Amino acid sequence: NLGDWSSDVCSSDLVADSMPAPNKKVLVCRVGKSSHQPFFAVRKNRELKPWEYIDGVTCHIRITHWLPIPDMPKWTPASASTES
């Protein structure tokens, strides 16, 4: 379900507040081609080619959706739980 994703197409005429903050890692996707697989990317502070893969390589895919990465869930190992 892509209902929670930002559906703003990545282009130079976007309003600044429709994109994630620069240098923030997010989950992105390109909807409209044969593959809709999401991947992690970093939004850079530039108009042309504003996305990079998390390894630093420029992303040439036109991103159509992005989603912030949620915080890690709180997890306690089973051995640390209290036993009665």
Side-chain angles (χ1 to χ4, degrees):
N1 179 3
L2 295 176
D4 295 335
W5 292 63
S6 171
S7 61
D8 294 314
V9 176
C10 174
S11 68
S12 60
D13 62 345
L14 282 177
V15 181
D17 63 350
S18 66
M19 297 280 279
N23 301 314
K24 183 173 175 93
K25 291 180 185 176
V26 294
L27 192 59
V28 298
C29 183
R30 155 105 190 206
V31 174
K33 292 289 185 179
S34 58
S35 176
H36 306 304
Q37 296 177 349
F39 58 93
F40 294 103
V42 178
R43 189 259 173 152
K44 303 310 282 183
N45 195 18
R46 58 182 181 228
E47 285 189 43
L48 297 175
K49 306 296 181 196
W51 296 98
E52 282 185 357
Y53 295 103
I54 58 173
D55 64 0
V57 175
T58 299
C59 176
H60 297 279
I61 296 172
R62 188 174 173 139
I63 304 300
T64 59
H65 294 73
W66 66 270
L67 181 69
I69 299 172
D71 293 334
M72 293 287 293
K74 304 289 188 258
W75 180 77
T76 305
S79 60
S81 64
T82 57
E83 296 180 20
S84 306

